[in-house]
Amino acid sequence: MSKKSKNLLRIYNRLKRGPVNIEVIKQRAKSHDLNISERTLYRYLDELEDIVQHNEKLIITEGEKNKKTWKIEYDESSAKLNEFDIQSYLLFKNLMPLPLVKSRKETFVRIENLFYKSYSKSNFEDFSIFADRQISNSYFYELLSLDGYQKILNDAIWSIQNKREMRLVEVGYDYTCIPQTVAYPIDFLPLQILYHRGVIHLSGIVKGKNKILAIALNQLKKYSLTNNMFDNRDLLAALRREMDNRFGITDNMNNEIYDIEIEFSELTGEFVKHHFWHHSQNFSKLSNGNYVMTLRCGINRELVGWIFQWMSNARVIKLQILQSLVKEKHLEILDNYESDMPLSSNNSFMNTEALDKN
């Protein structure tokens, strides 16, 4: 196979996964260490029509600033779904977050009507009845309801897809330790929809500041969309680096990264080690049967609260600052039971460091 044919096949295989533009193809070529000019890539894309299959049609559309998008449309009559495919859809629908289930009911009805019309010979209705009765979600830790949820989510997706700034005017209660130095309104560069612990967040960067925020959708009380465009390529890399340094998504209490060790009792450790908590996690078994978990990340409210979750089955071995925070919070909890004073909001993990003025 010639070099050109191999490159065309690479582009075709990527196109079969979804629409592409020239930036997507350039990035794919770069990831395969292919030194191909943009002009040549455009020529390859124009030649794709000669290699699409009989049940496929190459569609080219033009968007803003004459930017082209290439996609393959399929002859639906030739598509086949098997039992596993239908079960996968029903699992996805019945196990997805409650706010999405509630806000997209009509969409699910339309999809299932389409499935039934197209795949009635596959007994789709039997699988659907089974799913409604025997696939369950506790929805524990998830939002019950939210007025305007669908609009907020759609606006966030639009802003991310079109690389448009958002103007955040009013943000509700503190969910992820947003620094006190953030004063609204702010110009926000939305980068990603992030699902974490039952809540959908919008993550991005404060324009003109070196500060990443993860804001729950239900925190967005007042905002506006803009037509101000921004380049997200370097920002997405910065977002990934920052989130890698956090335990969960809560803002760290400072800008330090620590080597942390936590000991777990044998049975709890056996449970904890089989779950994902942080990309740096590592487990080793002690001679007494207990487990030691090592992490390299910042310290935040989410980490300390997570340690408390395991009650007397976990203790911090390293480092001293984390030990002290856990002990201090334990004493504060005891004080709440020994005092008649009303409970008050208390966040010891707020990052008060000033935003980068660059």
Side-chain angles (χ1 to χ4, degrees):
M1 184 182 293
S2 68
K3 183 177 179 181
K4 176 183 176 181
S5 296
K6 288 181 180 179
N7 291 336
L8 272 170
L9 185 59
R10 285 193 179 98
I11 295 173
Y12 172 63
N13 287 335
R14 172 59 184 85
L15 193 59
K16 291 181 74 172
R17 290 166 42 203
V20 301
N21 55 33
I22 191 63
E23 295 299 328
V24 171
I25 295 302
K26 284 168 62 177
Q27 187 62 37
R28 185 168 179 80
K30 183 179 178 181
S31 67
H32 285 82
D33 295 323
L34 301 175
N35 186 19
I36 306 175
S37 69
E38 184 171 312
R39 187 172 183 176
T40 300
L41 290 174
Y42 270 114
R43 189 171 69 249
Y44 285 166
L45 286 164
D46 288 337
E47 294 176 8
L48 280 174
E49 196 163 4
D50 296 331
I51 67 171
V52 296
Q53 302 299 306
H54 69 278
N55 64 324
E56 301 169 348
K57 183 178 181 182
L58 184 64
I59 304 296
I60 305 173
T61 58
E62 288 192 5
E64 294 181 350
K65 299 182 179 179
N66 297 320
K67 288 186 177 180
K68 289 184 177 181
T69 298
W70 288 259
K71 74 171 183 176
I72 290 178
E73 287 189 354
Y74 294 90
D75 177 5
E76 293 182 356
S77 64
S78 66
K80 301 294 182 184
L81 289 181
N82 58 34
E83 179 177 333
F84 182 83
D85 297 327
I86 295 172
Q87 289 176 348
S88 297
Y89 161 75
L90 293 170
L91 283 168
F92 171 74
K93 173 205 164 187
N94 285 275
L95 300 180
M96 71 189 309
L98 182 60
L100 289 184
V101 173
K102 286 189 170 184
S103 65
R104 280 163 159 70
K105 278 185 177 180
E106 293 181 1
T107 298
F108 291 128
V109 169
R110 286 196 294 270
I111 290 174
E112 291 178 10
N113 286 340
L114 178 62
F115 274 177
Y116 179 67
K117 290 176 182 177
S118 302
Y119 307 107
S120 56
K121 292 182 180 180
S122 301
N123 296 323
F124 172 78
E125 68 277 16
D126 294 338
F127 296 125
S128 181
I129 292 170
F130 159 78
D132 288 339
R133 293 176 179 174
Q134 294 173 285
I135 300 176
S136 181
N137 188 334
S138 72
Y139 298 121
F140 184 75
Y141 220 119
E142 295 194 358
L143 289 172
L144 289 173
S145 61
L146 176 65
D147 293 337
Y149 192 91
Q150 182 166 315
K151 182 180 185 306
I152 295 172
L153 179 57
N154 289 344
D155 285 344
I157 292 172
W158 180 88
S159 296
I160 292 170
Q161 288 181 330
N162 293 283
K163 304 178 184 66
R164 296 298 204 279
E165 298 175 12
M166 295 178 69
R167 181 77 167 168
L168 304 187
V169 179
E170 181 182 351
V171 173
Y173 62 92
D174 178 26
Y175 199 96
T176 54
C177 293
I178 294 175
Q180 294 174 331
T181 47
V182 176
Y184 301 96
I186 61 173
D187 294 320
F188 187 67
L189 310 181
L191 299 174
Q192 205 172 64
I193 298 295
L194 174 63
Y195 180 67
H196 180 65
R197 296 178 71 172
V199 178
I200 298 177
H201 297 76
L202 174 63
S203 56
I205 295 181
V206 180
K207 183 181 179 181
K209 313 290 184 183
N210 186 24
K211 189 60 198 176
I212 288 171
L213 300 181
I215 303 171
L217 292 188
N218 54 301
Q219 286 181 260
L220 295 176
K221 304 301 181 185
K222 188 181 295 184
Y223 64 90
S224 60
L225 307 181
T226 79
N227 282 316
N228 301 327
M229 296 188 69
F230 64 94
D231 188 341
N232 67 358
R233 287 171 294 184
D234 293 339
L235 300 181
L236 281 167
L239 174 65
R240 285 191 292 269
R241 287 193 299 270
E242 171 63 21
M243 288 305 180
D244 281 348
N245 288 333
R246 298 184 182 185
F247 186 88
I249 66 171
T250 304
D251 197 31
N252 291 334
M253 63 183 295
N254 56 38
N255 295 329
E256 298 297 323
I257 304 301
Y258 302 98
D259 291 312
I260 296 166
E261 294 182 10
I262 304 169
E263 181 181 354
F264 291 93
S265 63
E266 183 175 3
L267 293 180
T268 301
E270 188 68 32
F271 173 84
V272 173
K273 76 171 186 176
H274 289 294
H275 292 73
F276 176 82
W277 309 104
H278 190 264
H279 72 90
S280 68
Q281 69 186 51
N282 190 41
F283 290 87
S284 58
K285 195 167 187 177
L286 301 175
S287 59
N288 63 4
N290 289 351
Y291 287 86
V292 172
M293 177 188 194
T294 59
L295 297 164
R296 181 166 176 78
C297 59
I299 294 176
N300 57 20
R301 180 173 65 188
E302 200 161 357
L303 175 59
V304 174
W306 182 80
I307 293 169
F308 270 100
Q309 171 182 327
W310 309 110
M311 297 184 285
S312 60
N313 292 294
R315 67 180 168 199
V316 177
I317 301 174
K318 181 182 176 182
L319 65 169
Q320 183 61 47
I321 183 175
L322 183 55
Q323 281 186 359
S324 298
L325 282 168
V326 171
K327 290 177 181 178
E328 288 171 10
K329 282 298 170 188
H330 176 68
L331 292 175
E332 288 178 16
I333 292 170
L334 290 177
D335 285 342
N336 285 336
Y337 284 94
E338 296 173 359
S339 170
D340 292 330
M341 295 291 292
L343 295 177
S344 60
S345 298
N346 181 4
N347 187 357
S348 306
F349 309 98
M350 184 68 72
N351 187 344
T352 57
E353 296 182 13
L355 294 180
D356 189 339
K357 296 298 190 296
N358 292 338

